[in-house]
Amino acid sequence: MAENKYKHLINRDLSWLKFNERVLEEAEDHSNPLFERLNFMAIYHSNLSEFLMVRVGSLHDRLLLKKDEIDPRSGMTTLEQLRAINRKIRELTPRKNRALIEILRELENYHIFYKAGVHLTKYEERFLERYFERNVLPLLSPHILDKHHPFPFLQNNTVYIAVLLKSKDGKTQLGIIPASGYFERLLLLPSKYIKFTLIEDLIYRFASRVFPRHRVEARSIFSITRNADIDADEAFFDYDMSYRDIMEIIVKKRKKLEPVRLDICRSQSEEITKRLMKNLNLTQDEVFFNEMPTVLSFVSDLKDLLTDEKYRSLFYPPLVSQPSGQVDLNKKLIPQIQKRDVLLSYPYQDMKTFVRLLEEAAMNPSVMSIKITLYRVARNSKVIDALIRAAENGKEVITVVELRARFDEENNIDWSKRLQEAGASLIYGIEDYKVHSKLLLITMKKRDGALGFITQVGTGNYNENTAKLYTDLSLITADEDIAINAQDVFKNLCMGSLVENSDILMVSPLTLKQSVLRYIDQEILMAKSGAPAQLTFKINSLNDTDIIKKLIAASDAGVKIRMIIRGICCLNVETTGKTRNIDISSIVGRYLEHSRIYLFGPKERQKVYISSADFMSRNTERRVEVAIPVLDPDLKREINDLIDIQLKDNVKARHQVGKGVYRKLPVPKGAPRIDSQVELFKRAYREAGNPLPEWLQEKNF
């Protein structure tokens, strides 16, 4: 009997939902501080919204154009994928509701009360009534739907109240009230405690006062999620416009794409739901009922209120990013990097070291040029400030700006204008390929007239904010051979072409996957010859079928494969058969695992790379990505130590046990509990020569 060709493959989108389920598990986990559980709930919701906007939106488009197309990893049609996605979300929704209700109830033990409109005191009722009459009602813009008033445009992920109205002649109509505008969503009630309600709860409560000429028969709170998958290449490249102007249009157009989901809360009528479905052109499969708020953006506003010491136990104990022990910040950085490579590990170490390097280069008279690829940066970016300063100081500054960084387009458009005004040269990537690499090249003239270089390659963005939340690596080196490769990358980007040959760096889309497959083949040959053979990868996602097939072949040949994959994993492993030598784990914890590390071979002959690329076909085939070898023996040991710690994680790690299912493994009796992120912070404190916080000194934290 022929082997099922989908046996070892998992649908990409269903695998992503499994990842988001692991985020939900953190919200359900009572070992996490209470408000951190609420924060995980907000992350779960935000993740799901983006997934619906992008992935489900893309499937909706495909349903119109290629409805019979078969998913190569599962054999499912587009319609079957959409139905399977909705089934999984429907399965997770009650868990989300239960966890959110439980968390909000437990917050009451800390005198934090969500007053959704029930169990109000008479004083609270009067306060809310006065507040509504004075501060909300005058600003509302309600709609009553009839032949003169068509269904209004509804904003993405914005809360509305729908009401079923009966007029004096007995006719029923649908009314819609936007719960946004000129008022804050989180409303504090007067109290010595923290008591809050949401603006939609207030409007829901007093909806009858919005329509005084009608009787309100029923009401619901709802929000919609719109398709946000729009391709600039397909939409506008026939137009004679600058790429930045195109992206400004794209951002505006995205907000008006078709809905893909309807979330209902506190519904009093099926009729309201039916009318909304009809006007939004949604099916029952795309409607989800919630017991609590449909949009959780208020969580960050609530967090801002909890600064008092008495709320400290609601949050993770504080951890502070440490200075790198590899450099002396009291001395110039460039001369130190010229003597030895430097590896920074975020958030365990501070990104200030990298920012210092840019600021130093901007002021250094020997620096001739700074070239950098930029994908996402912070709102008030010190990286951008340093590049502007360099340009104003007469240095050549070339910035490859990826305006298609999804949902960061507006920010990228704004700071690209600032750079251009300062005199920097801007390149808007390559047609058909996103530039996702994190690459910096500083060129300087030495005293003897020769050229010197500093090259940096990172696994994450040049963003000071996310560097505090995402785990990433950044390698900085003065190696001239690496710099020559980096110069070739920038030369090709300037000419709108791709790197076809690179002897040190791996550069997608033409050399990275090819090099990875070649190194895996080398391990297969070693295993077949009877020598120890090993592969270790830490990545965020895996769906490239060429790499998956090669990994299966390597496992079948006897290569030991260890993979730490945070999110999407389209490889299904089993304890027997061809995948018996592959172990896959996923770590979801306090910080977002984001670093990409490739280890080819056992330690005694190992090639070590860090990269901006996951093993996703989009990264390996449709993006410009860069992987850099780590050559310094001490830094190679440091990366191996990081991997070893993560492989020993028994607190936040979950292991794939077949069919895409992940489970935490039981901790043996008497064995230490190892949270790899906490352990890596311990290492950072020690390397910086700083004492550990008291709570970190405990055996079980």
Side-chain angles (χ1 to χ4, degrees):
M1 183 182 291
E3 184 180 59
N4 178 3
K5 66 178 181 178
Y6 302 117
K7 178 180 179 181
H8 298 298
L9 299 174
I10 301 168
N11 176 267
R12 165 192 168 149
D13 297 316
L14 296 179
S15 176
W16 184 90
L17 286 170
K18 287 287 186 183
F19 155 68
N20 211 34
E21 183 177 8
R22 297 194 285 277
V23 176
L24 179 58
E25 287 172 2
E26 291 298 308
E28 297 170 321
D29 188 347
H30 288 75
S31 69
N32 287 322
L34 188 55
F35 201 91
E36 301 295 351
R37 292 173 58 197
L38 183 59
N39 194 49
F40 275 114
M41 184 64 68
I43 293 170
Y44 167 85
H45 184 271
S46 175
N47 286 348
L48 184 58
S49 293
E50 184 170 331
F51 171 78
L52 291 163
M53 286 189 283
V54 178
R55 291 299 305 166
V56 173
S58 174
L59 288 172
H60 271 263
D61 291 342
R62 196 175 302 165
L63 194 61
L64 297 173
L65 302 172
K66 304 176 182 178
K67 66 178 181 179
D68 297 324
E69 186 177 42
I70 301 297
D71 172 44
R73 299 173 193 86
S74 63
M76 301 166 72
T77 66
T78 302
L79 183 58
E80 287 171 338
Q81 291 177 74
L82 282 168
R83 286 174 174 169
I85 287 167
N86 285 327
R87 278 197 304 271
K88 184 61 182 178
I89 296 174
R90 202 169 300 284
E91 174 190 317
L92 295 175
T93 299
R95 286 176 56 185
K96 180 202 76 171
N97 287 332
R98 285 194 300 270
L100 186 54
I101 290 168
E102 179 185 66
I103 292 166
L104 291 172
R105 282 178 180 166
E106 290 186 26
L107 282 173
E108 294 179 2
N109 296 327
Y110 297 85
H111 300 123
I112 302 167
F113 301 90
Y114 171 43
K115 310 290 281 190
V118 295
H119 308 303
L120 295 172
T121 66
K122 289 184 178 180
Y123 176 74
E124 289 168 345
E125 288 180 351
R126 286 196 302 271
F127 169 80
L128 290 175
E129 183 178 10
R130 286 196 302 270
Y131 188 90
F132 177 79
E133 292 286 347
R134 296 174 183 176
N135 301 90
V136 177
L137 183 58
L139 299 174
L140 292 178
S141 301
H143 304 269
I144 297 179
L145 308 187
D146 56 31
K147 60 183 179 181
H148 298 293
H149 300 87
F151 194 82
F153 177 79
L154 304 180
Q155 299 287 342
N156 189 37
N157 284 325
T158 300
V159 184
Y160 296 85
I161 288 79
V163 293
L164 195 63
L165 302 170
K166 180 169 281 191
S167 59
K168 292 179 180 179
D169 60 7
K171 187 166 68 173
T172 58
Q173 295 169 287
L174 186 67
I176 293 178
I177 315 168
S180 62
Y182 302 99
F183 26 73
E184 298 294 330
R185 186 170 174 221
L186 188 77
L187 173 60
L188 285 177
L189 280 67
S191 173
K192 64 179 180 179
Y193 305 124
I194 292 181
K195 293 184 179 182
F196 71 95
T197 191
L198 301 177
I199 200 69
E200 61 261 33
D201 299 320
L202 188 66
I203 299 171
Y204 179 92
R205 182 178 184 83
F206 296 109
S208 60
R209 302 195 183 191
V210 182
F211 304 99
R213 297 180 182 178
H214 297 76
R215 187 169 79 242
V216 173
E217 297 281 290
R219 65 197 85 186
S220 297
I221 299 172
F222 76 96
S223 62
I224 65 165
T225 306
R226 290 186 176 276
N227 180 358
D229 189 60
I230 186 167
D231 191 334
D233 300 341
E234 294 180 3
F236 287 102
F237 264 110
D238 288 338
Y239 287 67
D240 185 18
M241 303 169 67
S242 76
Y243 196 72
R244 188 164 62 200
D245 290 340
I246 289 171
M247 290 312 302
E248 287 184 296
I249 293 173
I250 289 290
V251 171
K252 294 175 183 175
K253 187 171 181 178
R254 171 188 289 153
K255 297 173 182 177
K256 299 179 181 179
L257 296 181
E258 290 300 306
V260 296
R261 171 184 168 110
L262 170 64
D263 276 294
I264 300 278
C265 176
R266 291 164 60 188
S267 178
Q268 296 179 335
S269 168
E270 288 186 14
E271 182 63 24
I272 290 178
T273 303
K274 289 178 182 177
R275 294 195 184 201
L276 289 173
M277 287 168 54
K278 181 180 178 181
N279 281 281
L280 295 167
N281 195 27
L282 293 173
T283 67
Q284 191 65 52
D285 273 356
E286 295 157 329
V287 179
F288 295 84
F289 293 91
N290 300 268
E291 298 174 47
M292 299 301 282
T294 61
V295 177
L296 299 183
S297 55
F298 72 90
V299 171
S300 60
D301 296 325
L302 181 59
K303 181 180 179 180
D304 292 340
L305 301 174
L306 308 180
T307 56
D308 195 279
E309 183 71 20
K310 63 185 176 185
Y311 300 121
R312 175 175 284 193
S313 64
L314 294 174
F315 300 94
Y316 287 125
L319 287 167
V320 179
S321 299
Q322 298 296 297
S324 170
Q326 299 170 26
V327 294
D328 184 347
L329 293 178
N330 294 315
K331 299 178 181 178
K332 296 287 186 183
L333 289 177
I334 290 176
Q336 296 180 69
I337 296 166
Q338 288 171 327
K339 292 179 181 177
R340 61 162 296 184
D341 294 353
V342 172
L343 181 72
L344 302 176
S345 181
Y346 311 138
Y348 314 110
Q349 293 171 330
D350 204 318
M351 191 180 169
K352 288 178 182 176
T353 302
F354 175 78
V355 174
R356 273 276 305 275
L357 171 64
L358 277 181
E359 291 172 342
E360 187 177 308
M363 303 302 294
N364 190 326
S366 67
V367 170
M368 302 164 62
S369 73
I370 300 173
K371 300 172 184 177
I372 190 169
T373 59
L374 295 172
Y375 195 74
R376 300 185 199 274
V377 298
R379 287 284 175 187
N380 298 304
S381 172
K382 293 182 180 178
V383 169
I384 298 298
D385 290 344
L387 294 173
I388 288 173
R389 194 173 303 118
E392 290 174 343
N393 286 341
K395 303 183 188 306
E396 180 188 48
V397 176
I398 296 178
T399 54
V400 181
V401 181
E402 185 47 79
L403 294 181
R404 292 168 292 184
R406 200 182 300 269
F407 304 123
D408 262 10
E409 296 97 338
E410 289 182 88
N411 187 38
N412 289 6
I413 288 167
D414 289 342
W415 58 252
S416 70
K417 291 176 180 177
R418 290 179 56 212
L419 281 168
Q420 193 168 32
E421 289 168 1
S425 298
L426 269 61
I427 301 168
Y428 297 129
I430 300 179
E431 188 172 338
D432 299 329
Y433 298 92
K434 279 188 179 181
V435 180
H436 187 252
S437 59
K438 299 27 170 140
L439 178 65
L440 166 73
L441 178 64
I442 299 170
T443 303
M444 64 199 84
K445 184 168 285 189
K446 299 179 182 177
R447 290 181 180 177
D448 60 4
L451 294 180
F453 306 94
I454 299 291
T455 307
Q456 180 272 341
V457 172
T459 67
N461 296 302
Y462 300 115
N463 187 317
E464 301 97 304
N465 295 334
T466 57
K468 299 172 184 175
L469 303 171
Y470 296 6
T471 72
D472 273 306
L473 295 172
S474 174
L475 180 67
I476 310 172
T477 178
D479 186 287
E480 292 192 3
D481 292 329
I482 288 176
I484 290 170
N485 273 211
Q487 180 65 45
D488 192 42
V489 174
F490 281 109
K491 182 178 72 174
N492 278 277
L493 289 172
C494 288
M495 296 189 300
S497 56
L498 301 172
V499 173
E500 297 182 3
N501 298 291
S502 183
D503 57 346
I504 299 179
L505 298 178
M506 300 179 186
V507 185
S508 68
L510 300 181
T511 75
L512 189 146
K513 180 160 80 170
Q514 295 79 351
S515 298
V516 168
L517 294 174
R518 185 173 66 252
Y519 284 140
I520 297 174
D521 277 332
Q522 289 176 7
E523 292 307 302
I524 291 174
L525 290 174
M526 295 299 289
K528 288 181 175 179
S529 70
Q534 183 174 291
L535 295 163
T536 305
F537 301 109
K538 180 184 182 300
I539 51 180
N540 301 325
S541 302
L542 168 67
N543 86 337
D544 187 301
T545 51
D546 294 325
I547 294 177
I548 289 174
K549 289 175 182 177
K550 189 67 72 174
L551 290 170
I552 293 171
S555 168
D556 199 32
V559 180
K560 300 296 181 185
I561 303 172
R562 307 173 301 174
M563 305 185 77
I564 304 168
I565 306 174
R566 183 198 76 218
I568 295 168
C569 177
C570 294
L571 172 58
N572 173 44
V573 297
E574 298 174 342
T575 54
T576 58
K578 292 183 178 181
T579 59
R580 64 192 178 280
N581 288 309
I582 304 177
D583 179 78
I584 297 176
S585 61
S586 172
I587 296 172
V588 178
R590 176 173 180 171
Y591 302 100
L592 182 78
E593 289 295 335
H594 196 252
S595 55
R596 291 93 165 188
I597 302 169
Y598 315 156
L599 306 181
F600 302 99
K603 290 179 183 178
E604 57 270 17
R605 58 174 180 81
Q606 192 176 71
K607 294 181 177 66
V608 177
Y609 286 81
I610 67 168
S611 177
S612 59
D614 291 310
F615 289 168
M616 299 277 284
S617 55
R618 70 180 186 188
N619 300 92
T620 59
E621 298 175 1
R622 298 193 300 277
R623 290 185 175 185
V624 176
E625 308 271 13
V626 173
I628 186 173
V630 180
L631 304 175
D632 184 287
D634 291 335
L635 300 186
K636 290 172 75 171
R637 277 192 294 273
E638 184 175 332
I639 288 177
N640 270 280
D641 288 346
L642 182 154
I643 290 291
D644 288 344
I645 290 170
Q646 293 221 310
L647 289 170
K648 292 174 183 175
D649 193 310
N650 56 19
V651 174
K652 295 300 182 183
R654 295 160 176 83
H655 293 260
Q656 195 190 118
V657 294
K659 297 182 179 179
V661 175
Y662 288 77
R663 293 199 185 118
K664 287 186 178 182
L665 300 183
V667 181
K669 189 175 181 180
R673 297 176 74 249
I674 299 173
D675 181 329
S676 59
Q677 294 180 348
V678 172
E679 292 299 323
L680 289 167
F681 249 112
K682 285 183 179 180
R683 186 176 76 169
Y685 273 90
R686 293 190 186 105
E687 288 181 358
N690 291 327
L692 293 175
E694 187 175 340
W695 73 273
L696 267 185
Q697 299 173 25
E698 302 172 10
K699 288 186 178 179
N700 289 312
F701 31 82

